[in-house]
Amino acid sequence: MNFASTDSYIATDALALAVNAAVTLERPLLVKGEPGTGKTELARQVSASMGLRLIEWHVKSTTRAQQGLYEYDAVSRLRDSQLGDERVHDVANYIRKGKLWEAFEADERVVLLIDEVDKADIEFPNDLLQELDRMEFHVYETGQTIRARQRPIVIITSNNEKELPDAFLRRCFFHYISFPDIETLRAIVEVHHPGIKESLLTAALTSFYEIREQPGLKKKPSTSEVIDWLKLLLAEDLNAEDLRRDGANALPKLHGALLKTEQDVHLFERLAFMARSKRG
């Protein structure tokens, strides 16, 4: 089954091609792009559209690759031995399965999401190379070898916070989710806000792209943020005229949904001040 846009997710032709190519090659799909461009949601949509179970592994700065395989709880075993618990005689009672183990032992094919891989230590991707290549790993405490019953579809996301090792990149099929052009963004908005008035949508997206292109902006608003902004505009029953901005009123309506740093708010406030000064 090939992946394509769904009722709740607009995938460009290039993105759909990347997903299907990775599935065909049986390679992890590495997806990069600005935060808020739908990288994590992609895995959920691939899972839903193909009718496969999704297993999510959300990586943090403290996450180690070993946690994706399994963890041995030696502390609990020591405590139980002191208490005379019979469980201590079977080390398997103290093995905690990780997300890769869960994906490997599934009877059916699953989608495995490794989310924000670049948050972890730089060695994290390298530590997973062999397991993702061979689709197996060894459990030293029990002597088991865990092999994938069905090769999972692996989707790995990155926000480009740090460079990933070359050896890791070689093993992945790569796709960068570019920020959508205005027509693609219109289609995305229509999924989330069906029937929105054309005049309001045109005014809102025009303003939105002007904000993104403003020189000196520290954090450009993302796709998810424009969706939230439009939800607020609809809730407040604002129209296209309400969104009109001039030099004296450079901040957009309900700008807190779009501008997320003091620096960016001050930037637009300075633009308004400069415009008023020129008029004066």
Side-chain angles (χ1 to χ4, degrees):
M1 180 185 295
N2 285 340
F3 173 71
S5 294
T6 68
D7 291 341
S8 57
Y9 189 87
I10 301 298
T12 62
D13 291 343
L15 177 56
L17 181 62
V19 171
N20 295 320
V23 172
T24 300
L25 293 172
E26 296 186 331
R27 296 273 189 178
L29 173 63
L30 174 61
V31 185
K32 290 187 178 183
E34 292 181 30
T37 49
K39 299 184 298 297
T40 302
E41 185 61 22
L42 171 65
R44 295 169 183 155
Q45 294 298 325
V46 170
S47 165
S49 69
M50 294 187 173
L52 304 178
R53 180 161 65 95
L54 175 65
I55 297 174
E56 301 186 35
W57 183 14
H58 298 285
V59 177
K60 301 178 181 179
S61 60
T62 55
T63 301
R64 294 176 293 107
Q66 180 64 32
Q67 292 171 312
L69 307 179
Y70 69 93
E71 291 184 279
Y72 170 51
D73 191 353
V75 174
S76 291
R77 193 181 189 196
L78 175 62
R79 184 186 64 242
D80 287 349
S81 68
Q82 293 169 338
L83 296 173
D85 195 319
E86 289 296 317
R87 285 164 44 87
V88 300
H89 299 299
D90 186 356
V91 69
N93 290 323
Y94 303 93
I95 300 293
R96 297 178 180 173
K97 298 177 181 180
K99 297 296 185 181
L100 266 73
W101 189 329
E102 185 181 346
F104 285 7
E105 73 173 1
D107 290 325
E108 76 286 2
R109 195 175 201 186
V110 300
V111 176
L112 173 63
L113 167 65
I114 305 177
D115 198 30
E116 298 190 322
V117 68
D118 53 330
K119 275 190 174 180
D121 183 84
I122 189 61
E123 290 304 317
F124 178 88
N126 276 340
D127 291 343
L128 289 177
L129 287 181
Q130 181 170 302
E131 289 75 17
L132 291 176
D133 247 3
R134 298 184 179 178
M135 285 287 145
E136 66 177 41
F137 63 89
H138 189 68
V139 183
Y140 296 98
E141 290 78 5
T142 64
Q144 295 171 276
T145 295
I146 306 301
R147 295 184 178 88
R149 297 175 185 173
Q150 300 278 346
R151 178 178 284 268
I153 297 172
V154 181
I155 297 178
I156 304 171
T157 72
S158 168
N159 285 328
N160 253 348
E161 291 183 8
K162 59 171 70 88
E163 289 296 318
L164 298 174
D166 288 346
F168 180 77
L169 296 175
R170 281 198 301 272
R171 288 164 169 81
C172 297
F173 190 93
F174 173 76
H175 182 75
Y176 184 86
I177 298 182
S178 301
F179 195 82
D181 58 31
I182 193 165
E183 291 308 315
T184 303
L185 192 52
R186 280 177 177 274
I188 293 171
V189 169
E190 183 62 31
V191 166
H192 293 272
H193 302 298
I196 187 171
K197 289 182 179 178
E198 178 62 29
S199 58
L200 175 62
L201 180 58
T202 298
L205 293 187
T206 299
S207 179
F208 173 72
Y209 278 99
E210 286 175 352
I211 292 168
R212 275 187 58 88
E213 293 165 9
Q214 177 62 47
L217 198 65
K218 182 177 182 181
K219 182 194 176 302
K220 294 182 178 182
S222 68
T223 309
S224 61
E225 286 161 340
V226 74
I227 298 299
D228 288 345
W229 184 48
L230 284 163
K231 183 177 181 179
L232 291 174
L233 297 181
L234 291 169
E236 294 293 323
D237 198 25
L238 300 179
N239 57 40
E241 184 59 28
D242 294 324
L243 300 187
R244 189 176 66 83
R245 293 187 296 131
D246 54 34
N249 184 26
L251 278 170
K253 297 282 186 182
L254 302 166
H255 63 268
L258 299 176
L259 304 178
K260 300 300 179 71
T261 71
E262 291 180 43
Q263 175 180 317
D264 290 341
V265 172
H266 291 160
L267 170 63
F268 280 88
E269 288 176 340
R270 286 196 301 272
L271 292 174
F273 177 77
M274 291 169 61
R276 287 194 296 269
S277 298
K278 288 180 180 178
R279 288 181 179 182

